[in-house]
Every structure is written in C-alpha cells, then in structure tokens.
C-alpha cells in the first residue's frame, strides 16, 4: 500500500500512470476494429514503419524532440499504409504478405538509419535507441497532455462512427451497397491506427506497441459476441494493463514500464482464454461435459426401454 500511495503522490509517476492508462484505453478501443478486419499485423507494421520516420526527423533537425519524432513517425506510418495498399492493388499478393514486406523493409531501413546516426557526427544522438523498446519514465506533462488529446479524439471518432466502422468491419460490400464511402472510412480507420501507434511509441516502443492494439481486443473477444461491449471491454483491458504495468515497474526497481505493460496485457489474455464465458477453454470443456452427460443419459434411457420391451415380450 505504501508503494501505491507513493506512486499516486509522486508527480512523475502520476504522469507515467496517467499516460500509460490512456494509451492502453485508446489502443484497446481502436484495436478492436483492426482485429475484426483481420488486420492484426497492421499495428505491428505501422509501429515498425515509424522507426525510419523518427531517425529521418532527427537527421534533418538534429534535435531530439518528441513532437518532431511523432510527426516523422506519423508520416512514415502513412507512407507504409499507402505502400501496403499499392502492393495489394497492383499485385496478386494478399494483404498479410504486403504487410510483412512493408514491415521488414521499413524496420530494416530504420535500423540502418539508427546505426548511421549512432556512428555519425551528430552531437546528441544518445537515447534514440530507447524508441525500440520505449522509455515511459521520460514522460513529462506535455507528453501526457498529447496522449490525452489523442485518446479523447480516438474515442470520440470511434463513438461517432461506430455504426459505419461496425458495418465495414463485417460486410464492406453491404456498406458500399447502402452508400457508405467505404474507401474513405477504411483510410480513416487506418489513420486512427497510425495515430494510436505513434502516440504509444514513447511509452512502449516500436517493437511492442502493436501488442497493446491487438492483445486487449483478442482478450475481449473471449468474453462477448457483441461488438459494443467488446470495444468497451478492450478499452478497459488496455487501461488496466497500462495501470498495472506502471504500478509493477514502480514497485520493482529496474523493470521497464513498456514491456511490463505488455506482460500485464498478456496475463489478461491468458485469463480470458481460460475463463471467457463465450469461447474460453473452461466454458468449452463444461459444454462438452454437459453434451456428453446428456448423450449418455439418453443412451441409458434408450437401452433401458429396449430391455423393458424385450422383457415384456
């Protein structure tokens, strides 16, 4: 309790706690649509694609500014989405193959640029590699304000366009038939994913930020078949993961907040896959036992009826 109280009263820990919680909340909400559209690899692709954008922003300005890095990462992520769309439209490759190509290509470029920076003549390049795995401890008030704006914006857009996103996630052909601008909505959804990924890079890093998009959504899927409730649960799971990751990393010295947050999300997934009432392993086992008991009971009654009939004859 002392550590919890210390975390809640420490101004620096308050910023980290609030930032990671908001990051988990917004990532969980927007990640549901990415998961349902079978684009689970999209968040991972955009996160890895952000690395060359960060490096180029530093090489052009020579300044380690979070705002400039986020702009560079956002532009790089948008180029990656257009690259995926171009490859998919102009080749016979499926989208997952295009994502894999773009992910590996952009990440390879990012590592090359990062190496050039570290061995170059730049004066203050130390710390850039922190974007690979995140550095939540470096969050300050302006970062949390940015995350708050991003979180509120993402949730507001998802709420206002929930019906449209729901239809294009399950049946884009029907959405096109009733007059929805499917191409625009798909690009808007992609842009929201880019924003969520870029906002989370500082806390979790380009390698792990995709986990906060997909893991809470998959966990929520085990608890309900209703999309609205799934989005809410996914947001809650993401927020709880962020809060738990901050608390655990604050309680144990030398533990990084980002990876611990991802581990907390993974623990929630393990609980969901075991105890989820809709698709959990325990629920399926109970259903099988009930079906087996019902079958055995019917078989016994049928056999008993045959025995009585033969005895009567």
């Amino acid at each position: 309790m002392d550590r919890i109280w210390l975390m809640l009263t420490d101004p620096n820990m308050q910023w980290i706690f609030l930032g990671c919680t908001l990051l988990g909340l917004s990532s969980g909400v927007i990640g549901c649509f990415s998961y349902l559209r079978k684009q689970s690899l999209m968040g991972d692709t955009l996160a890895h694609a952000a690395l060359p954008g960060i490096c180029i922003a530093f090489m052009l300005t020579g300044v380690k500014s979070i705002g400039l890095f986020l702009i560079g990462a956002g532009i790089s992520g948008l180029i990656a989405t257009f690259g995926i769309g171009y490859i998919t439209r102009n080749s016979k490759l499926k989208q997952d193959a295009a994502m894999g190509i773009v992910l590996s290509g952009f990440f390879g470029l990012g590592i090359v640029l990062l190496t050039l920076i570290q061995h170059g003549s730049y004066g203050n390049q130390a710390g850039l590699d922190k974007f690979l795995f995140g550095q939540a401890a470096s969050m300050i008030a302006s970062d949390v304000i940015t995350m708050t704006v991003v979180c509120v914006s993402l949730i507001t857009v998802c709420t206002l366009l929930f019906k449209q996103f729901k239809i294009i996630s399950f049946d884009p052909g029907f959405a096109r038939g009733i007059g929805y601008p499917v191409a625009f909505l798909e690009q808007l959804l992609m842009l929201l994913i880019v924003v969520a990924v870029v906002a989370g890079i500082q806390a979790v890093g380009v390698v792990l930020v995709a986990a906060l998009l997909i893991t809470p959504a998959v966990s929520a899927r085990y608890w309900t078949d209703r999309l609205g409730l799934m989005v809410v649960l996914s947001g809650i799971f993401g927020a709880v993961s962020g809060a738990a990751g901050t608390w655990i990393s604050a309680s144990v010295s030398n533990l990084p907040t980002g990876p611990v947050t991802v581990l907390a999300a993974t623990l929630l997934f393990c609980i969901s896959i075991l105890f989820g009432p809709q698709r959990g392993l325990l629920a399926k086992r109970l259903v099988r036992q009930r079906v087996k008991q019902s079958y055995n009971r019917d078989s016994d009654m049928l056999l008993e009826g045959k025995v009585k009939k033969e005895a009567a004859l």
Side-chain angles (χ1 to χ4, degrees):
M1 290 300 296
D2 293 340
R3 290 184 180 276
I4 295 177
W5 178 251
L6 179 63
M7 182 184 73
L8 295 177
T9 53
D10 185 337
N12 188 43
M13 289 306 302
Q14 288 174 355
W15 292 127
I16 299 172
F17 180 82
L18 185 58
C20 290
T21 303
L22 290 174
L23 169 65
L25 175 63
S26 57
S27 299
V29 169
I30 196 65
C32 280
F33 300 102
S34 176
Y35 168 66
L36 292 174
R37 288 172 54 80
K38 302 185 189 311
Q39 293 180 335
S40 299
L41 194 57
M42 180 58 74
D44 207 15
T45 304
L46 296 177
H48 285 74
L51 184 58
I54 293 171
C55 294
I56 292 173
F58 176 78
M59 294 172 79
L60 291 176
T61 62
V63 178
K64 285 194 297 184
S65 167
I66 298 299
L68 290 174
F69 289 170
L70 293 182
I71 292 173
I75 294 173
S76 184
L78 287 176
I79 294 173
T81 62
F82 285 117
I84 293 168
Y86 182 82
I87 293 174
T88 307
R89 285 192 301 272
N90 296 279
S91 71
K92 294 183 180 180
L93 293 176
K94 292 185 178 179
Q95 194 175 43
D96 58 343
M99 289 181 189
I101 293 170
V102 172
L103 181 154
S104 54
F106 273 73
F107 191 60
L109 176 62
I111 295 295
V112 169
L113 293 176
L114 193 60
T115 305
L116 289 176
I117 291 172
Q118 288 177 336
H119 292 86
S121 58
Y122 301 94
N124 56 346
Q125 66 267 43
L128 276 180
D129 56 336
K130 298 296 183 184
F131 280 89
L132 284 175
F133 300 105
Q135 192 177 28
S138 65
M139 280 188 191
I140 56 177
S142 59
D143 299 330
V144 177
I145 292 173
T146 303
M147 283 189 175
T148 304
V149 173
V150 168
C151 179
V152 172
S153 303
L154 288 176
I155 293 175
T156 302
V157 173
C158 288
T159 302
L160 294 176
L161 298 177
F162 177 77
K163 181 180 177 182
Q164 287 82 353
F165 287 164
K166 178 181 179 180
I167 295 177
I168 67 170
S169 296
F170 290 104
D171 195 344
F174 175 73
R176 196 175 290 107
I178 62 176
Y180 283 159
V182 175
F184 170 75
L185 291 172
E186 288 177 342
Q187 288 300 324
L188 177 61
L189 197 53
M190 203 73 74
L191 177 63
L192 297 180
I193 295 173
V194 171
V195 172
V197 166
V198 171
I201 284 177
Q202 186 187 1
V204 186
V206 299
V207 177
L208 297 176
V209 68
L212 285 184
L213 279 172
I214 300 305
T215 308
V218 177
S219 303
R221 186 70 182 92
Y222 278 92
W223 294 91
T224 181
D225 288 329
R226 296 173 55 196
L227 179 59
L229 183 57
M230 177 184 168
V231 172
V232 173
L233 285 177
S234 180
I236 293 174
F237 287 163
V240 169
S241 302
T246 308
W247 173 63
I248 294 172
S249 63
S251 304
V252 182
S253 61
N254 297 323
L255 276 184
T257 304
V260 175
T261 298
V262 173
L263 286 178
T266 305
L267 177 61
L268 286 175
F269 167 73
C270 293
I271 294 173
S272 300
I273 198 172
L274 287 175
F275 303 107
Q278 298 293 334
R279 299 166 180 267
L281 296 177
L282 182 60
K284 286 183 178 179
R285 188 175 182 85
L286 291 175
V287 170
R288 286 198 197 98
Q289 284 185 344
R290 281 199 295 267
V291 172
K292 187 176 180 180
Q293 289 174 354
S294 176
Y295 175 79
N296 291 334
R297 188 168 54 251
D298 292 343
S299 297
D300 292 342
M301 291 177 63
L302 184 62
L303 181 62
E304 185 177 354
K306 283 184 178 179
V307 171
K308 287 182 178 178
K309 188 176 180 181
E310 289 177 358
L313 291 176

